[in-house]
């Protein structure tokens, strides 16, 4: 998965149905928003009356681009820093970006960890430090992997990416 959006090939259904795939690649990052992008598509196919745009080669970004439509949320993703884009794109490898706002996805990101045990330990030390310290003061050993399986796996999405587990709160 890459954190850059590539160009989108734009033709029209009329051209395609007549046996031609004549069109051009357009970079959505060159445009302010969806409307600006569609104006560029209109200019590209200005010789056609009421062209119906067809996108035949495009990057997969959480379902935001299809053969016949581009969701305006794509420009929300394009505005992000490379790090934020990667967080959103890892999430989008599991869920469509149409279902949640970019802000929601970024806010639900808990971080990356080598293992479920590491995540469970960090989570409990951050959110339940008094309970953890009380348990440890009794000389009890906490099985962090089992803690993840019994307490956290239903509340967090984990996605394996680049050798790490990326965790998102499910809300």
């Amino acid at each position: 998965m890459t954190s850059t959006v590539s160009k989108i090939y734009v033709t029209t259904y009329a051209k395609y149905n007549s046996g031609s795939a004549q069109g051009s690649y357009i970079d959505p990052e060159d445009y302010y928003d969806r409307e600006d992008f569609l104006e560029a598509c209109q200019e590209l196919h200005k010789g056609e009356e009421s062209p119906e745009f067809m996108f035949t080669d495009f990057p997969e970004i959480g379902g935001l681009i299809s053969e016949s439509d581009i969701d305006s949320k794509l420009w929300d993703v394009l505005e992000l820093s490379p790090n934020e884009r990667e967080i959103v794109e890892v999430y989008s490898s599991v869920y469509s970006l149409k279902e949640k706002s970019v802000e929601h996805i970024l806010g639900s990101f808990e971080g990356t960890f080598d293992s479920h045990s590491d995540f469970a330990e960090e989570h409990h030390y951050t959110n339940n430090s008094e309970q953890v310290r009380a348990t440890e003061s009794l000389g009890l050993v906490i099985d962090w992997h089992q803690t993840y399986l019994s307490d956290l796996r239903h509340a967090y999405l984990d996605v394996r990416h680049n050798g790490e587990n990326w965790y998102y709160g499910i809300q």
Side-chain angles (χ1 to χ4, degrees):
M1 180 175 306
T2 177
S3 61
T4 56
V5 174
S6 59
K7 296 178 180 181
I8 299 168
Y9 193 80
V10 181
T11 186
T12 66
Y13 281 100
K15 287 183 175 106
Y16 180 80
N17 290 334
S18 68
S20 170
Q22 181 186 11
S24 186
Y25 281 97
I26 300 179
D27 189 342
E29 292 195 69
D30 292 341
Y31 302 93
Y32 177 73
D33 58 16
R34 181 179 186 272
E35 290 73 30
D36 194 27
F37 178 83
L38 292 176
E39 284 178 25
C41 294
Q42 186 72 39
E43 180 64 26
L44 177 65
H45 297 286
K46 65 183 172 189
E48 211 175 295
E49 188 176 321
S50 301
E52 290 180 78
F53 304 121
M54 181 178 184
F55 310 110
T56 60
D57 187 17
F58 51 83
E60 175 48 48
I61 302 182
L64 296 181
I65 307 170
S66 68
E67 181 181 285
S68 60
D69 189 37
I70 293 184
D71 194 294
S72 61
K73 280 188 183 179
L74 175 63
W75 282 268
D76 294 339
V77 173
L78 295 176
E79 291 177 359
L80 300 173
S81 71
N83 183 52
E84 290 171 324
R85 242 190 234 189
E86 187 174 20
I87 291 168
V88 170
E89 288 179 3
V90 169
Y91 178 91
S92 77
S93 70
V94 177
Y95 290 114
S96 169
L97 296 178
K98 290 183 175 189
E99 299 168 13
K100 304 279 184 186
S101 72
V102 169
E103 294 79 18
H104 176 86
I105 295 165
L106 292 172
S108 72
F109 182 63
E110 295 287 325
T112 62
F113 296 86
D114 291 332
S115 68
H116 295 320
S117 299
D118 291 346
F119 173 66
E121 184 174 6
E122 176 71 24
H123 181 274
H124 280 288
Y125 271 107
T126 301
N127 298 299
N128 307 313
S129 61
E130 289 180 27
Q131 282 182 305
V132 172
R133 292 189 202 306
T135 301
E136 290 174 336
S137 72
L138 295 173
L140 300 173
V141 176
I142 300 171
D143 180 344
W144 292 114
H145 185 73
Q146 187 58 43
T147 299
Y148 174 79
L149 293 176
S150 61
D151 296 348
L152 300 174
R153 75 179 168 130
H154 299 295
Y156 291 90
L157 165 68
D158 69 278
V159 180
R160 189 83 176 151
H161 176 68
N162 287 342
E164 296 179 305
N165 295 318
W166 294 52
Y167 293 89
Y168 300 82
I170 300 173
Q171 300 160 357

